Amino acid sequence: MAPDPTPLALAKSRLRRQMRRVRAGEPPQAAEAAASHLPPSLVRAARIVAGYHPQGGEIDPLPVLRRFAAAGAQLALPSAVAAEAPLVFRAWSEGDALQPDIFGIPSPAPQRPTVQPDLILAPVLAFDRRGGRIGQGAGCFDRTLAQARALGPVFVIGLAFASQEIERAPIAAHDQALDAILTESGYIEAEEDS
């Protein structure tokens, strides 16, 4: 018999259901608007930028990735290689063939070189201005961001619709914070928790 869920787990579960409904009605052109809000200094500074393949109504990172690629950054996409392991980032260019990873998400082929990004675009179900992030719930991105940060400096931008902002994200000790959030309404540097 499974243990009863904690109040934090229940709060996250309710929030995920609510936010999936919220983002379902968002327009696809929001991704282009979000890309227009990237700070030019950030675009110029990034060398290896990891995105993601959007799933279930997530905002499409492609317009943002194109801005970085136009400035000379190498692009990458994640690939799941084991259910409980951090994601692996592999080099990717727009137009490259993709194949399903172990979760069925289109990803670069295993032969593509692995890379260590200095900037990661993270999918978001809900966020707050302190950098709190609620994801899909499997923990893949939290494990991945923890590992990436252990290997060296990395800047993490949550890519979301403005409607996904909440007052305070219910987060646990293992949840990885965002450094900034990018929406169709603007760029938000994560605030220091006071």
Side-chain angles (χ1 to χ4, degrees):
M1 185 168 160
D4 287 336
T6 66
L8 180 62
L10 289 171
K12 285 182 171 186
S13 180
R14 281 192 298 274
L15 184 59
R16 285 185 181 102
R17 283 192 303 275
Q18 175 190 354
M19 287 295 138
R20 284 185 182 108
R21 287 190 301 272
V22 166
R23 78 174 180 197
E26 293 293 347
Q29 62 268 29
E32 290 289 344
S36 72
H37 295 297
L38 273 171
S41 60
L42 191 62
V43 174
R44 288 189 303 270
R47 296 291 160 243
I48 302 175
V49 178
Y52 57 89
H53 194 280
Q55 301 291 305
E58 292 170 343
I59 193 166
D60 188 351
L62 189 56
V64 177
L65 291 170
R66 285 178 177 149
R67 290 271 320 270
F68 284 109
Q74 177 184 357
L75 301 181
L77 288 178
S79 181
V81 295
E84 297 297 319
L87 301 168
V88 172
F89 292 105
R90 293 193 173 112
W92 172 81
S93 295
E94 189 173 359
D96 284 357
L98 299 174
Q99 62 185 54
D101 67 10
I102 66 163
F103 294 125
I105 298 172
S107 304
Q111 317 68 289
R112 299 289 295 153
T114 59
V115 296
Q116 179 61 37
D118 58 329
L119 190 144
I120 297 173
L121 300 175
V124 172
L125 256 177
F127 71 91
D128 65 35
R129 289 184 176 251
R130 293 168 198 82
R133 171 191 171 272
I134 299 297
Q136 295 289 355
C140 287
F141 258 82
D142 288 314
R143 285 188 295 275
T144 302
L145 296 178
Q147 177 179 287
R149 287 175 166 149
L151 295 173
V154 62
F155 194 79
V156 181
I157 301 175
L159 190 53
F161 297 104
S163 63
Q164 293 173 271
E165 182 176 354
I166 59 175
E167 181 63 31
R168 184 123 178 142
I171 57 171
H174 70 272
D175 291 326
Q176 293 289 305
L178 303 168
D179 296 303
I181 303 96
L182 183 63
T183 76
E184 75 279 14
S185 299
Y187 177 80
I188 304 163
E189 287 275 349
E191 299 170 355
E192 292 292 322
D193 206 1
S194 51

